[in-house]
Amino acid sequence: MVIAQLLINVFHLINRFLATEGGELLKIFLELILFTIVTYMIISEYGRSKKENLKYLMLGFSALMIDKLIMTGVLCIIVFGQVKLYLLSPYLPILDNTLELFALILLANGFIYPVFADKFEKFKKKVSLELGVLVFIAIIIEVFWLLKLAANPTAFFRVEVGYLFFLLLKILVLFSPVFYILKDFNKAGKYATEVVIAFLIYMVAPIMNVINFVFFNSVDGDLRIIAHPFPFLSILLFTSIIFLKLVDKATLRVRLGQAKQQYIHEKELGEMKDDFVSTVSHELRTPLTSIKLYLALLKQGKAGKLSRKQSGMIKIVEDESTRLKGLIEDILGLSKLEAKKVRLKIEEFDLSKLIKDNLYSTVAEEKGLKVINNIPKKFFVRADINKFKQVFINIFHNAEKYATSKITLTAKNLKKEWLFCIEDDGPGIEKDHLEKLFDKFYRIEDYRTSSKSGTGLGLAIVKHIVELHKGTITVESLPKKGTRFIVTLPK
Ligand code: ADP
């Protein structure tokens, strides 16, 4: 209880001290140091990032700094030079209030900038208009004040209507960011709540001064004393917000630097891998061509007549080497697509003809599959014909592998795109696998135990080709019902 009373007394003592000229000098000097540090921090950040909102904050804090610099000088003269304030009174009160308002307008706009981010021109006009109105009002108040001083040299600015105007303007300027931030809170950035609180705290002082003006003719000492610390507290809060914002930015910059470094490293690794893959694949192609050539010679009996058993074995070797060739082609093709070394040759062609020419397949025949081709005749699309053929073959061969009785092909000419579907009535694909289906080497079945051959590269190639055309590929599948691949090509 005693300690609480003591603290209250100390608080009152400090407040009273702050309301004296010496106390005011101390407070303003502290503010000057604070603003100089913050202005320096913002200027150096603005130099780096050139962000528009920093410009407003920078100008705002600079204006506050200049205001405090002038006021520190003036108070030094008053406190140490024993000069009376009224000698400076023709310009000082208006200059002080105008500079403070000028700074508050810029600060308020600096903090609400994110809310206006997409309406920048409107925002700029708003700031210019506010500053223009302020200067206009300040000039009018100055003129009236000079007239008043001419009539009565000991007049007191705090009882003038001009002062009331300044107070009301301050309340308005301080309220505007609160309004804009609360209206669009989600857009207002990370420290929106703190900014609102800081503006509200600042607002307490002009509100109290208005009460003092209206009810006590601005002479109530206690009200003035109580009002004093609020702007200072608010400024402390603003400073900490700015500090936190700048720290956030610095951390972000460090992270960005690290991410960039990692990206460059991964890109280099990727390029090395691509080079490696394409070199190895090329090297594998040459012996494979020889193997195929000698197999053909063996089959033709150039090394003597073959027994049935030998022919059977050679057939297996031939099939496997064909598979190996397919795999090498796929790897090479995919690495070229991934390295973006592929150029499209876009031309107009008849999709129905392309499909018809490539529809014949022994697999479908052996499995007795019914292929229902619903693609309209003379269905012209624009794409790279060879690449699109590969898209069709890769999806169609999968459908053949999995379909139980039929495969349906459809195409639609939509407003902005061509749509092409291949649907089978096979076992379908579980939901968990769907999103990974287009990853390279992704296969649902285990290749060691599955009867279905494949490499897991077909759909990855398809996706790359479709995306190169700026089209899309999607898959819809229901287990036990079937699978549908949908390709769209933009017109
Ligand atoms: P693969 O060469 O192994 O067929 P893909 O990339 O073409 O490689 O396909 C990846 C995997 O997607 C296949 O292993 C298969 O499990 C699954 N898949 C593709 N098409 C179908 C389909 N129509 N029905 C069921 N599963 C399919």
Side-chain angles (χ1 to χ4, degrees):
M1 204 51 205
V2 181
I3 293 176
Q5 191 59 46
L6 198 76
L7 283 176
I8 291 169
N9 285 344
V10 171
F11 179 72
H12 281 310
L13 219 66
I14 292 174
N15 261 353
R16 222 155 259 140
F17 168 66
L18 286 178
T20 63
E21 281 166 353
E24 179 100 326
L25 176 60
L26 177 73
K27 196 186 75 180
I28 288 187
F29 185 64
L30 283 179
E31 284 177 343
L32 176 64
I33 294 174
L34 221 67
F35 292 145
T36 314
I37 295 171
V38 179
T39 312
Y40 171 75
M41 278 174 9
I42 303 179
I43 289 178
S44 59
E45 180 60 34
Y46 180 71
R48 259 194 299 264
S49 67
K50 294 269 178 293
K51 286 257 170 65
E52 201 63 23
N53 65 330
L54 285 180
K55 192 163 93 186
Y56 291 100
L57 292 177
M58 183 174 76
L59 290 173
F61 275 101
S62 308
L64 279 175
M65 193 179 76
I66 293 167
D67 180 29
K68 299 306 160 188
L69 193 66
I70 294 171
M71 293 313 287
T72 309
V74 168
L75 281 164
C76 275
I77 296 169
I78 292 166
V79 173
F80 300 113
Q82 304 298 317
V83 183
K84 279 292 141 218
L85 188 61
Y86 62 80
L87 285 181
L88 299 156
S89 53
Y91 308 105
L92 210 58
I94 283 94
L95 186 68
D96 181 22
N97 278 297
T98 311
L99 269 176
E100 190 187 351
L101 265 162
F102 191 82
L104 287 179
I105 290 176
L106 288 164
L107 274 191
N109 285 300
F111 279 112
I112 59 169
Y113 179 81
V115 178
F116 281 86
D118 42 356
K119 293 171 260 176
F120 186 56
E121 282 312 310
K122 197 176 150 195
F123 179 74
K124 257 169 126 174
K125 268 191 203 143
K126 170 179 158 347
V127 181
S128 319
L129 183 77
E130 286 170 8
L131 293 177
V133 170
L134 170 69
V135 172
F136 180 70
I137 292 177
I139 291 173
I140 293 179
I141 296 176
E142 179 70 62
V143 169
F144 274 97
W145 179 231
L146 286 178
L147 289 175
K148 178 82 190 188
L149 277 180
N152 173 15
T154 56
F156 185 45
F157 184 67
R158 279 179 173 264
V159 296
E160 292 301 312
V161 188
Y163 177 61
L164 182 66
F165 252 103
F166 273 137
L167 290 177
L168 295 177
L169 262 184
K170 252 180 236 176
I171 295 173
L172 199 70
V173 169
L174 290 165
F175 184 71
S176 93
V178 176
F179 169 77
Y180 282 113
I181 290 177
L182 292 184
K183 203 176 95 186
D184 246 329
F185 195 78
N186 292 337
K187 274 202 206 163
K190 197 171 163 193
Y191 298 103
T193 317
E194 288 82 350
V195 172
V196 167
I197 293 173
F199 278 111
L200 289 175
I201 293 179
Y202 206 118
M203 221 190 287
V204 176
I207 290 176
M208 281 189 162
N209 287 336
V210 168
I211 295 172
N212 202 349
F213 183 96
V214 175
F215 298 104
F216 308 101
N217 219 11
S218 284
V219 292
D220 190 307
D222 281 347
L223 260 182
R224 268 196 67 194
I225 290 168
I226 298 169
H228 247 266
F230 285 100
F232 186 65
L233 284 179
S234 153
I235 291 299
L236 274 181
L237 196 52
F238 277 133
T239 313
S240 62
I241 295 168
I242 297 278
F243 182 72
L244 288 176
K245 271 184 186 257
L246 295 185
V247 168
D248 280 357
K249 277 209 169 71
T251 326
L252 219 68
R253 222 185 348 261
V254 171
R255 287 217 195 110
L256 206 71
Q258 286 168 343
K260 224 178 189 168
Q261 210 58 37
Q262 193 163 348
Y263 171 75
I264 292 169
H265 181 66
E266 276 171 13
K267 209 171 147 207
E268 280 171 0
L269 268 182
E271 278 164 11
M272 271 166 66
K273 190 200 73 192
D274 288 341
D275 281 351
F276 174 75
V277 168
S278 71
T279 316
V280 170
S281 311
H282 274 297
E283 291 304 317
L284 287 175
R285 253 178 176 178
T286 326
L288 198 62
T289 318
S290 300
I291 292 172
K292 287 202 145 248
L293 177 74
Y294 281 97
L295 278 174
L297 291 175
L298 278 175
K299 263 172 67 182
Q300 286 165 18
K302 298 276 161 137
K305 205 168 172 335
L306 299 175
S307 67
R308 262 187 53 201
K309 208 170 176 185
Q310 284 169 329
S311 293
M313 285 180 178
I314 282 182
K315 167 95 175 57
I316 295 173
V317 178
E318 202 178 18
D319 285 350
E320 290 303 310
S321 51
T322 306
R323 220 159 75 92
L324 192 58
K325 188 166 176 266
L327 177 61
I328 293 170
E329 297 296 337
D330 277 357
I331 293 180
L332 258 178
L334 187 64
S335 82
K336 269 192 205 147
L337 282 165
E338 280 182 335
K340 308 232 173 343
K341 283 185 189 152
V342 177
R343 273 182 176 271
L344 292 180
K345 210 175 123 219
I346 303 284
E347 57 191 311
E348 193 169 74
F349 62 88
D350 183 359
L351 183 73
S352 63
K353 185 169 180 313
L354 177 98
I355 303 281
K356 218 168 140 208
D357 292 348
N358 291 283
L359 214 51
Y360 173 75
S361 149
T362 39
V363 182
E365 201 167 76
E366 276 167 16
K367 280 183 80 179
L369 294 176
K370 203 166 150 198
V371 179
I372 305 165
N373 183 0
N374 286 337
I375 297 177
K377 283 213 167 60
K378 303 257 177 260
F379 191 93
F380 285 97
V381 298
R382 280 179 64 76
D384 184 314
I385 185 161
N386 286 322
K387 295 276 174 300
F388 196 82
K389 190 163 125 186
Q390 199 175 356
V391 169
F392 167 69
I393 289 176
N394 286 8
I395 304 177
F396 184 69
H397 282 180
N398 278 340
E400 275 182 328
K401 269 190 258 173
Y402 294 96
T404 23
S405 68
K406 64 171 193 243
I407 301 172
T408 316
L409 308 173
T410 44
K412 274 188 197 146
N413 191 353
L414 301 176
K415 206 168 161 198
K416 287 187 181 157
E417 58 200 11
W418 292 289
L419 192 136
F420 172 57
C421 289
I422 302 183
E423 190 176 349
D424 66 62
D425 60 351
I429 301 165
E430 297 277 346
K431 214 170 149 211
D432 292 352
H433 295 292
L434 284 180
E435 59 190 61
K436 295 188 213 135
L437 212 62
F438 298 98
D439 292 355
K440 59 183 169 185
F441 296 114
Y442 189 78
R443 300 194 63 210
I444 297 170
E445 58 282 309
D446 187 338
Y447 72 95
R448 286 161 299 195
T449 52
S450 167
S451 59
K452 308 266 188 285
S453 62
T455 57
L457 290 176
L459 289 177
I461 292 176
V462 165
K463 189 169 166 75
H464 272 287
I465 295 178
V466 172
E467 283 177 355
L468 219 59
H469 281 85
K470 307 230 171 347
T472 60
I473 171 146
T474 39
V475 51
E476 293 169 359
S477 187
L478 283 178
K480 298 202 177 67
K481 285 265 162 32
T483 307
R484 178 195 290 157
F485 283 90
I486 305 153
V487 176
T488 68
L489 290 178
K491 284 187 176 170

